Amino acid sequence: MKKVGLYFGTFNPFHIGHLIIANHLAEHTEMDEVWLVITPQSPFKKKKNLLENHHRLELVYRGTEDYDKLKPCDVEFNLPQPSYTSKTLAELKDSHPDLDFSLIMGEDNLVNFHKWKNFQNILDNHEIYICPRHTKSDVPEQFLNHPKIHLTTTPQMEISSTLIRKMIKSDKNIRPLLQHKVWEYIDEMNFYK
């Protein structure tokens, strides 16, 4: 059964840090593919600097189209809001029963994983791959050495979408931080100015 890792994010914008992490996981774990799941804009909380869903999907598409093992995923665009990871996993399993889905998250998210809706169901049915963070977190005892939780050697990136948006607004050169096709789309559409 093909193993697919799910990497969730707003990807506002999708940058080389995201690309490096996703590619590293696709190349250095038993995952066959990594799907980048674009988190939709909440209809209840409009953020003025969050690009519309279809634009962020386009950024991820352009940023991953040269990588066979990386795919954009818009499954949450059609799910009720707020979208819970457990519901997304159930939806994907229903529509792709032939695939084995794993969850990808930062070490910081593991700290509060026990507060997630249906976290035990997620843990019972899915592998979880943890990306290390520069700042160490107090991971609950129940998740340490858990057979379904795997700490990865993913490179730690100090690049953030927030920083990139601020740099664009300040008219700084951000081209080294974005995959070329992503930069072209942001420039062409005049985003984040």
Side-chain angles (χ1 to χ4, degrees), residues 1 4 32-34 75 84 89 99 101 110 123 128 133 137 151-152 171-172 181:
M1 188 179 276
V4 175
D32 299 297
E33 291 180 353
V34 171
V75 65
Y84 294 103
L89 287 164
L99 300 178
F101 291 102
L110 190 57
L123 199 50
I128 300 177
R133 292 286 194 248
S137 307
L151 188 59
T152 69
D171 205 28
K172 305 287 185 206
K181 293 175 187 173

Side-chain angles (χ1 to χ4, degrees), residues 26-37:
E27 295 294 337
H28 297 282
T29 67
E30 53 277 355
M31 289 182 243
D32 299 297
E33 291 180 353
V34 171
W35 292 5
L36 295 107
V37 183

Side-chain angles (χ1 to χ4, degrees), residues 150-168:
H150 312 284
L151 188 59
T152 69
T153 58
T154 311
Q156 297 177 46
M157 308 299 295
E158 285 293 318
I159 302 168
S160 77
S161 296
T162 303
L163 173 68
I164 290 169
R165 291 192 306 271
K166 284 179 182 170
M167 289 175 70
I168 292 171

